[in-house]
Amino acid sequence: MAKASTGTLYRGREGMWSWVAHRVTGVGIFFFLLVHVLDTALVRVSPEAYNAVIDTYKTPFMAFGEVILVAAIAFHAFNGLRVIAVDFFKGGPANQKKLFWGAMVLWLVIMVAFLWRHIPNSLGGAF
Amino acid sequence: MAENTQAAEPASKIDLPASVGGEAGGIPSFQVTAKIARFDPERDSEPHWEEYRVEMHGTDRVLDVLHKIKWEIDGSLSFRRSCAHGVCGSDAMRINGRNRLACKSLLKDFQKNPTDPVEITVEAIKGLPLEKDLIVDMEPFFQSYREIMPFLITSGQEPTKERVQSQADRAIFDDTTKCILCASCTTSCPVFWTDGQYFGPAAIVNAHRFIFDSRDEGGDMRLEVLNDREGVWRCRTTFNCTDACPRGIQVTKAIAEVKQALLTRTLA
Amino acid sequence: MSAPTIPAPRTGYQRSTAKGSNFELAAWLFMRLSGVLLVILIFGHLIVNMWLGDGVHQIDFAFVAGKWASPFWQIWDLLMLWLAMLHGTNGVRTVILDYAERPATRMTLQVVLYIASLVVVVLGTLVIFTFDPCIAGADFQFCPA
Amino acid sequence: MQVHEYDVVIVGAGGAGMRAAIESGQRARTAVLTKIYPTRSHTGAAQGGMCAALANVEEDNWEWHTFDTIKGGDYLVDQDAAEVMAKEAIDAVLDLEKMGLPFNRTPEGRIDQRRFGGHTRDHGKAPVRRACYAADRTGHMILQTLYQNCVKHGVEFFNEFYVLDLVMTEVDGKEQPAGVVAYELATGEIHVFRSKAVVFATGGFGKVFKTTSNAHTLTGDGVAVTYRRGLPLEDMEFFQFHPTGLAGLGILLSEAARGEGGILRNADGERFMERYAPTIKDLAPRDIVARSMANEVREGRGCGPNKDYVLLDLTHLEPAHIDEKLPDITEFARTYLGVEPYTEPVPVFPTAHYGMGGIPTNVDSEVLRNNTDVVPGLYAAGECACVSVHGSNRLGTNSLLDINVFGKRAGIAAAEYAQTAAMPELPENPETFVAGEIERLRTSDGPERIAAIRRDLQETMDANVQVFRTDETMRQALNDIEALRERYKNIGIQDRGKRFNLDLLEAVELGFLLEIAEVVTVAAIHRKESRGGHFREDFPDRDDENFMQHTMTYRDPESETEGIPGMRLEWKPVVITRYQPMERKY
Ligand SMILES: Cc1cc2nc3c(=O)[nH]c(=O)nc-3n(C[C@H](O)[C@H](O)[C@H](O)COP(=O)(O)OP(=O)(O)OC[C@H]3O[C@@H](n4cnc5c(N)ncnc54)[C@H](O)[C@@H]3O)c2cc1C
Ligand code: HEM
Ligand code: SF4
Ligand code: F3S
Ligand code: FES
């Protein structure tokens, strides 16, 4: 079916880009979740198998992955709450931009707190 | 009888501040570089960019640029337009990446200082079949509009005089009566771009206009239509529609109100 | 600037005519309700696993065993598994419907999605309920030697 | 070429066309041909209101309305027609309400009404609230509501079909329509629509002027097409200049701005209308206000760097009131001039707005071939027609009324005619003329450019045939038009394609504009008096003795008028029933 006229990007604002990010993070988390359930299922195989896999989570490389994961989840969660607010609250649609930036501030706070805890934690384990 | 809202008789003579007149006075001219996506169905297999340079003035709009190009440089440049002041909805196009009406996009809004050169990119709205240059096939758009039954549905005998409607009831759907069916909203919607099956914000706005009209009795049927897989539930609240609407309609809010009406109808 | 090919004229609208189904409404509502619950469940999960105690380093077989010894965490994880998977599956379903336009592609991707989700949900549920801390190799004191 | 067959063909999908279609569509097989999508029609630009003596907010009756219409039109109104319109106004408004139009409401929930220029209580005693409205987008709501009802009734539209010719055939020794020839924009194909009845509702021709509130598409196609087929045009010299166009742009700020309390001021801050119309001041009819404004500027009391506009002052009104009643037009001031109407007065100047003249019809919307006889099966309604309910000057809100009352009448009459009439035979090759013309233009490669000719035409009309006219200026315009017609023969267009060839259509439209501009000017030269919208500085007074009659201009190769070959001018008496002409004072 016909679509694009030309290939230039549409210059959307907060609403559009937050949705793009929401979608990307949502799908990303979903795939992580598939893997995560599988690796957790190893507890039914043997403690060694499980621990072996879990140990790979503790490398600096994976620590970085965890930061991404937490960032994605936190973004998806806060933006999700914003979407819910837009859907259900009277002033939601009118204030969606403020809600978005509010969610971003919250996200930043959470990320700073998490990094403050996580960096020494994961690095500490590596060295 | 209506309350007299007339203000007190104004003064016969007042002192005018020196600044009156806004920008109706002379404004320096400046260079405009317009990059336009051209497509001639009889020759091209795909659209290509064409660049034009014209000299414009302070109160000019993008429509004036297009006219100047068509009238003085290349007569084959094709676009729709009629009223030239944002009320007919003919000339929705993508200007500098966003959907707007060419006749309502002032060049000076793309400029920091009054004499700075201006660069604009203009292309057809996205998601509807491209016909030529900036012209797209509007039929699918109007088809969605027609599907939501955009007319007053009533039963019983017509009153001899008008139907009574309180000011408060009238106010509920005031916003969505402003729609000029320009398609800026629908063709800015990322969900509409995907497969073009989504009813799109314009159809929902027009459904809203009737669903919330106290005189109308067809709300239930329209809600049923919009409960469809391609109906309101496909909206992902991306707000492109609201940002694009040249009439300032709170499109996403209207969609949210329709969603809520559907929820109450089903759950309550 | 390269311009992509101009798509073929559309074949007209082929909207589904199935009326009277509230599936999309239910799915939409579920996304929101599950979303709210998931905030609590997931943040709780993350705080306990990655913040309290030693953070990631504490996680090992024993840690899991400790948690699932309590029905509270069993239910918590179960809820989280189900809600997240349903939420995620439905989310990915909309993504597929958005971008896969050919009916055959749509169908294939959806089938793959549902099978994968089903497998994961069933597997996860079994793991939580049939978890055996004394599985071969585990050396807790309370396990029969 | 394709041939279609319908009982009724309606040309134009503005207010008049769609109102006709709603009636006709339910009675006969009807096709509506429109050069732009129905909802793009310029009826949608109308702002202020549509009047009817509903008496919802204060005492009023249709006879006062009739009187105001006649007096507003400087007694050149056909009084039987004005009576029909004022009487049917009430139902016309109620019809629209029942179709769903969201009128503003009174606290009791009835249709609200407001003041408008020239509408008075008891024969001129004081302004009256007669205009029914939907904020300042009444026309928009009318257009949308009519389109919605067309959708409801399944009216068949042919969108972006340009009607370029009326096919006439002889039946019993009399010419009557057999259909129309249209050009399909999307494909470049020519279509012949064979039909028993044809209704023209193609709107105005404001584009003969440069500064105008009219849309680019208002090029008077229907008016020119019937004229070229030998039918007369009535009262073409009367063109209304609306007082409050945005200075330099012509975009309209509705009279509702003054109806809601806005006033005009000159450079000295003076409310100058107190001098020109002491009783109703800023709410005097448009011709008077426009002339007063032009006069202020001429006498050096204009504002701005070039002293070429006056000011519309809304600053004494409550912002909330402005937002509620005039949201759109204040937005225009902000967008296009960068003026904030809450705190600053808005620069305005008269703008070409409305053609009172057009295709002559009787009250049943039947087109007249001369002063007395109708053309069977041919109808016209809306701005392209001249019933004459507006005489020499239309009152604000009377046009939206006109299109509804006479659009409805045309639709009913055409459908009823079609029910009994036989399908006329098409003449052989009815499309030849259009096909030839299209082909000639498509391949034209002369040195002259359409836009340049059009600009020169509009400039000479603005300079010479505007608010103030003299024999000399109009002769100048006429000379210019002649020269432009010569240049038109040597035009060249650049788009040689078949699909969406708007270059070609602009060339066709320019041909119509040239034709109409000439008729307007010749008729205006002929009328050696000042009346309503037509003001001659060389004949500043109304002359009832000689000119209390309508002009009828015919295209006639054998005749000559005012030195212009090919035109014949005749006079048609005014119908006077109750109100004898009086001096027009406000
Ligand atoms: C800015 C503005 C404000 C106004 N405000 C008011 C007001 O407040 N109150 C009031 O009473 N009046 C007002 N008027 C006047 C009134 O709006 C118009 O006179 C009236 O709407 C004309 O309606 P119509 O149906 O005759 O024509 P239009 O609405 O102009 O429609 C013309 C139709 O004809 C079609 N057409 C034209 N040529 C062709 C062709 N060759 N082939 C096929 N189709 C063709 C077009 O596509 C269009 O559909 C205003 C006018 C303007 C310009
Ligand atoms: C942490 C709490 C979460 C909240 C508050 C939340 C909220 C939401 C909401 C409200 C939506 C609907 C968006 C819309 O309809 O526009 C959504 C979509 C989605 N969610 Fe979540 N979610 C959460 C967790 C998750 C998890 C754990 C996953 C992965 C398994 C996930 C995957 C998705 C996907 C794939 C979508 C679809 C995106 C789209 O259609 O654009 N979400 N989420
Ligand atoms: S809602 Fe706004 S953007 Fe959408 S069609 Fe209507 S006027 Fe245009
Ligand atoms: S842009 Fe589309 S996704 Fe919804 S908020 Fe508007 S309809
Ligand atoms: S030309 Fe009418 S909206 Fe722009």
Side-chain angles (χ1 to χ4, degrees):
Chain A
M1 210 145 286
K3 270 201 299 269
S5 51
T6 43
T8 54
L9 214 53
Y10 192 87
R11 278 180 58 204
R13 295 175 194 263
E14 289 90 337
M16 178 173 124
W17 294 117
S18 66
W19 163 76
V20 169
H22 194 82
R23 180 157 271 197
V24 170
T25 52
V27 174
I29 300 164
F30 179 74
F31 283 112
F32 164 77
L33 189 59
L34 292 186
V35 175
H36 188 51
V37 172
L38 292 179
D39 67 49
T40 305
L42 289 177
V43 291
R44 284 291 290 134
V45 178
S46 77
E48 290 76 27
Y50 180 74
N51 286 345
V53 172
I54 286 300
D55 276 342
T56 61
Y57 276 89
K58 298 171 187 171
T59 61
F61 177 73
M62 284 307 279
F64 179 68
E66 279 154 25
V67 173
I68 303 274
L69 178 71
V70 170
I73 292 178
F75 175 87
H76 190 95
F78 294 142
N79 190 56
L81 291 175
R82 162 184 161 271
V83 168
I84 293 169
V86 164
D87 285 328
F88 291 106
F89 295 102
K90 224 170 166 352
N95 293 306
Q96 61 102 0
K97 285 181 190 168
K98 278 185 217 143
L99 284 171
F100 172 74
W101 291 113
M104 286 307 94
V105 169
L106 209 60
W107 177 81
L108 205 70
V109 170
I110 291 289
M111 284 316 286
V112 167
F114 169 72
L115 289 174
W116 169 76
R117 185 78 181 82
H118 186 69
I119 292 176
N121 242 347
S122 44
L123 294 187
F127 303 106
Chain B
M1 292 285 129
E3 214 179 318
N4 192 332
T5 44
Q6 208 79 8
E9 190 69 1
S12 286
K13 195 158 174 171
I14 56 164
D15 286 326
L16 292 171
S19 64
V20 294
E23 285 147 41
I27 284 182
S29 60
F30 48 85
Q31 279 292 321
V32 175
T33 310
K35 227 174 80 187
I36 301 178
R38 300 289 311 265
F39 172 68
D40 178 353
E42 288 162 88
R43 266 192 304 202
D44 308 337
S45 59
E46 53 185 52
H48 63 275
W49 293 100
E50 202 83 61
E51 223 176 81
Y52 305 88
R53 250 172 270 273
V54 286
E55 175 134 342
M56 304 302 297
H57 298 273
T59 54
D60 283 340
R61 299 156 268 161
V62 171
L63 182 63
D64 299 306
V65 174
L66 297 177
H67 270 148
K68 194 159 179 137
I69 294 168
K70 181 174 183 66
W71 291 344
E72 290 170 22
I73 303 172
D74 183 354
S76 69
L77 176 63
S78 303
F79 51 93
R80 294 190 179 103
R81 52 86 181 106
S82 182
C83 71
H85 63 285
V87 296
C88 76
S90 302
D91 58 345
M93 46 189 81
R94 197 138 57 105
I95 299 166
N96 287 5
R98 291 192 179 126
N99 281 3
R100 324 166 194 247
L101 298 177
C103 63
K104 256 191 130 174
S105 304
L106 270 80
L107 293 171
K108 71 175 167 62
D109 291 345
F110 302 109
Q111 189 178 46
K112 279 207 187 69
N113 303 305
T115 50
D116 287 353
V118 171
E119 274 186 39
I120 52 172
T121 22
V122 185
E123 53 199 307
I125 45 178
K126 192 170 161 171
L128 290 167
L130 185 62
E131 300 267 20
K132 180 176 179 181
D133 293 348
L134 303 173
I135 297 177
V136 297
D137 179 5
M138 295 291 286
E139 203 36 50
F141 174 79
F142 278 100
Q143 187 184 331
S144 296
Y145 168 76
R146 289 192 296 265
E147 272 175 64
I148 54 92
M149 296 177 279
F151 39 80
L152 196 72
I153 297 173
T154 56
S155 62
Q157 199 151 20
E158 295 226 311
T160 32
K161 294 209 84 179
E162 71 263 46
R163 293 196 166 78
V164 171
Q165 178 170 55
S166 73
Q167 291 178 338
D169 282 345
R170 165 72 176 69
I172 295 173
F173 65 102
D174 183 68
D175 200 34
T176 42
T177 64
K178 294 178 191 158
C179 176
I180 55 176
L181 297 170
C182 67
S184 287
C185 54
T186 297
T187 59
S188 74
C189 175
V191 178
F192 182 74
W193 298 332
T194 58
D195 61 359
Q197 302 287 302
Y198 173 38
F199 272 88
I204 301 173
V205 159
N206 284 281
H208 178 281
R209 177 248 171 277
F210 285 101
I211 293 169
F212 292 92
D213 187 333
S214 60
R215 300 168 297 173
D216 185 80
E217 293 165 30
D220 218 44
M221 289 190 274
R222 289 188 199 94
L223 286 175
E224 194 49 50
V225 172
L226 292 176
N227 200 21
D228 187 79
R229 198 175 77 192
E230 309 297 345
V232 282
W233 308 117
R234 272 199 88 175
C235 166
R236 308 248 79 87
T237 54
T238 65
F239 284 91
N240 275 8
C241 52
T242 305
D243 288 334
C245 180
R247 304 282 294 155
I249 299 171
Q250 293 301 309
V251 182
T252 313
K253 181 161 171 253
I255 298 174
E257 286 171 1
V258 173
K259 286 174 183 164
Q260 276 156 16
L262 261 168
L263 284 178
T264 20
R265 182 187 84 138
T266 314
L267 304 179
Chain C
M1 174 69 66
S2 76
T5 51
I6 173 155
R10 74 178 50 213
T11 45
Y13 274 10
Q14 260 111 45
R15 257 188 214 118
S16 73
T17 43
K19 290 274 143 63
S21 151
N22 282 325
F23 178 75
E24 293 297 335
L25 181 151
W28 182 89
L29 195 58
F30 171 75
M31 288 306 269
R32 273 119 194 106
L33 295 178
S34 60
V36 173
L37 289 175
L38 280 169
V39 173
I40 301 162
L41 295 170
I42 293 182
F43 280 95
H45 176 81
L46 288 178
I47 288 169
V48 170
N49 286 21
M50 298 179 77
W51 179 283
L52 300 178
D54 285 336
V56 249
H57 293 290
Q58 63 195 339
I59 303 177
D60 57 14
F61 186 80
F63 179 80
V64 177
K67 269 181 91 181
W68 284 347
S70 139
F72 176 81
W73 285 113
Q74 271 189 322
I75 304 251
W76 183 288
D77 283 2
L78 186 75
L79 254 181
M80 189 165 68
L81 171 75
W82 276 74
L83 286 178
M85 281 308 294
L86 281 176
H87 177 105
T89 305
N90 186 52
V92 174
R93 177 185 70 101
T94 53
V95 175
I96 292 173
L97 291 181
D98 275 357
Y99 300 120
E101 284 173 26
R102 288 198 17 244
T105 330
R106 259 189 192 180
M107 191 52 95
T108 319
L109 287 176
Q110 282 192 75
V111 168
V112 170
L113 170 70
Y114 299 144
I115 292 176
S117 300
L118 192 72
V119 167
V120 167
V121 169
V122 170
L123 184 71
T125 309
L126 286 177
V127 168
I128 293 173
F129 279 114
T130 63
F131 177 66
D132 172 10
C134 301
I135 192 172
D139 54 350
F140 295 118
Q141 309 93 345
F142 55 81
C143 291
Chain D
M1 192 202 48
Q2 293 185 34
V3 181
H4 312 254
E5 219 176 274
Y6 285 88
D7 290 333
V8 178
V9 163
I10 297 173
V11 186
M18 289 204 284
R19 189 68 190 82
I22 289 170
E23 298 301 332
S24 170
Q26 297 180 64
R27 295 174 168 85
R29 240 170 80 70
T30 304
V32 182
L33 277 58
T34 170
K35 75 176 186 183
I36 47 181
Y37 274 85
T39 55
R40 317 286 183 229
S41 302
H42 212 53
T43 293
Q47 303 162 352
M50 164 169 172
C51 57
L54 295 182
N56 272 4
V57 288
E58 58 189 351
E59 192 191 350
D60 197 4
N61 67 57
W62 64 264
E63 281 163 338
W64 296 350
H65 183 185
T66 311
F67 172 77
D68 290 335
T69 301
I70 294 166
K71 181 180 173 190
D74 223 350
Y75 296 93
L76 200 74
V77 172
D78 284 340
Q79 299 190 0
D80 56 338
E83 233 168 81
V84 165
M85 185 173 79
K87 224 189 283 183
E88 290 182 12
I90 295 161
D91 273 337
V93 168
L94 295 178
D95 277 356
L96 286 171
E97 199 281 335
K98 286 171 198 164
M99 286 184 205
L101 199 144
F103 283 108
N104 276 40
R105 300 287 170 158
T106 65
E108 299 79 44
R110 316 277 303 278
I111 296 172
D112 199 8
Q113 299 186 278
R114 66 172 160 214
R115 294 176 183 160
F116 238 78
H119 291 281
T120 67
R121 167 205 321 269
D122 194 8
H123 312 93
K125 299 252 161 60
V128 74
R129 292 164 189 270
R130 187 178 288 148
C132 310
Y133 65 100
D136 52 359
R137 49 176 190 279
T138 315
H140 163 76
M141 290 321 325
I142 290 178
L143 191 70
Q144 295 287 328
T145 302
L146 291 176
Y147 182 61
Q148 288 157 1
N149 279 272
C150 285
V151 170
K152 179 175 177 179
H153 294 300
V155 169
E156 246 181 286
F157 286 102
F158 290 82
N159 296 328
E160 303 194 311
F161 275 61
Y162 283 63
V163 170
L164 300 181
D165 198 10
L166 168 64
V167 181
M168 297 291 270
T169 186
E170 217 159 276
V171 177
D172 304 332
K174 274 192 182 160
E175 288 258 293
Q176 72 175 61
V180 296
V181 183
Y183 174 90
E184 185 184 0
L185 181 65
T187 59
E189 209 178 336
I190 290 174
H191 297 250
V192 174
F193 287 80
R194 183 179 177 203
S195 70
K196 299 177 186 172
V198 173
V199 181
F200 273 92
T202 53
F205 45 87
K207 275 289 153 184
V208 296
F209 294 97
K210 182 169 163 227
T211 309
T212 175
S213 64
N214 281 199
H216 285 284
T217 45
L218 287 179
T219 48
D221 305 7
V223 176
V225 160
T226 53
Y227 176 69
R228 283 178 180 177
R229 284 278 154 219
L231 296 169
L233 295 181
E234 183 175 344
D235 285 346
M236 291 295 282
E237 65 274 32
F238 295 110
F239 205 91
Q240 178 168 81
F241 297 88
H242 193 292
T244 50
L246 282 184
L249 295 170
I251 295 171
L252 195 76
L253 298 187
S254 168
E255 197 166 304
R258 281 170 289 136
E260 295 293 345
I263 57 172
L264 293 163
R265 296 188 186 281
N266 60 21
D268 306 329
E270 182 203 4
R271 184 183 187 184
F272 57 85
M273 282 313 297
E274 290 178 334
R275 275 188 278 121
Y276 298 92
T279 317
I280 56 177
K281 302 177 186 133
D282 298 274
L283 284 175
R286 293 177 177 168
D287 56 330
I288 297 179
V289 180
R291 248 182 336 264
S292 309
M293 289 166 71
N295 201 48
E296 288 299 300
V297 165
R298 277 217 302 203
E299 292 178 1
R301 290 189 292 276
C303 313
N306 307 317
K307 291 183 168 302
D308 58 355
Y309 56 79
V310 298
L311 298 166
L312 175 65
D313 186 3
L314 302 173
T315 56
H316 53 286
L317 302 177
E318 283 299 320
H321 181 65
I322 296 180
D323 282 348
E324 193 196 329
K325 300 291 175 63
L326 308 165
D328 282 8
I329 62 170
T330 40
E331 184 63 26
F332 294 153
R334 280 180 208 119
T335 309
Y336 295 115
L337 290 183
V339 170
E340 175 48 66
Y342 295 158
T343 53
E344 297 167 78
V346 184
V348 289
F349 200 67
T351 179
H353 185 54
Y354 184 88
M356 267 75 73
I359 307 167
T361 70
N362 61 18
V363 289
D364 294 319
S365 299
E366 295 171 289
V367 173
L368 300 172
R369 73 167 80 247
N370 54 37
N371 287 2
T372 49
D373 300 339
V374 301
V375 184
L378 187 59
Y379 303 82
E383 193 172 337
C384 70
C386 177
V387 199
S388 162
V389 281
H390 306 307
S392 61
N393 172 57
R394 170 176 74 84
L395 286 190
T397 68
N398 262 352
S399 174
L400 290 178
L401 180 56
D402 173 6
I403 61 177
N404 277 288
V405 168
F406 293 103
K408 178 176 178 179
R409 283 178 158 247
I412 295 174
E416 284 177 354
Y417 171 84
Q419 276 160 7
T420 54
M423 183 68 80
E425 283 307 317
L426 280 177
E428 214 144 297
N429 301 329
E431 81 290 2
T432 318
F433 171 71
V434 171
E437 191 71 352
I438 291 285
E439 216 32 51
R440 184 179 71 76
L441 288 170
R442 197 208 311 283
T443 52
S444 65
D445 54 2
E448 296 288 351
R449 298 203 65 134
I450 309 161
I453 299 179
R454 186 175 48 215
R455 187 197 55 224
D456 291 353
L457 171 71
Q458 292 169 340
E459 277 175 2
T460 184
M461 291 299 282
D462 260 23
N464 299 314
V465 200
Q466 225 214 14
V467 178
F468 296 112
R469 304 165 168 181
T470 67
D471 189 69
E472 190 191 347
T473 61
M474 290 189 290
R475 299 257 171 214
Q476 176 63 45
L478 215 47
N479 281 339
D480 293 345
I481 295 170
E482 276 323 293
L484 292 170
R485 294 195 90 150
E486 280 309 307
R487 282 170 61 190
Y488 181 67
K489 290 180 185 152
N490 295 320
I491 58 168
I493 69 164
Q494 287 156 310
D495 195 337
R496 309 242 174 265
K498 290 210 175 253
R499 297 182 56 181
F500 290 93
N501 193 336
L502 288 157
D503 204 17
L504 172 68
L505 284 161
E506 283 196 24
V508 176
E509 290 170 345
L510 175 59
F512 293 148
L513 287 178
L514 285 165
E515 196 100 56
I516 292 171
E518 187 172 311
V519 177
V520 169
T521 313
V522 171
I525 292 177
H526 231 65
R527 186 174 287 279
K528 298 185 176 59
E529 65 155 352
S530 290
R531 181 190 296 271
H534 173 70
F535 188 82
R536 298 268 309 240
E537 288 180 281
D538 40 359
F539 300 97
D541 297 318
R542 197 172 88 187
D543 176 359
D544 286 351
E545 201 125 322
N546 295 306
F547 295 103
M548 189 56 167
Q549 34 189 347
H550 304 290
T551 54
M552 297 279 274
T553 314
Y554 295 79
R555 176 149 143 155
D556 180 353
E558 259 89 83
S559 297
E560 185 174 309
T561 296
E562 298 293 333
I564 305 300
M567 251 190 231
R568 172 161 50 90
L569 233 122
E570 289 179 10
W571 298 99
K572 175 169 167 259
V574 174
V575 180
I576 295 178
T577 55
R578 273 205 272 186
Y579 302 101
Q580 285 309 312
M582 291 189 301
E583 195 196 343
R584 188 156 155 263
K585 259 199 333 220
Y586 286 97

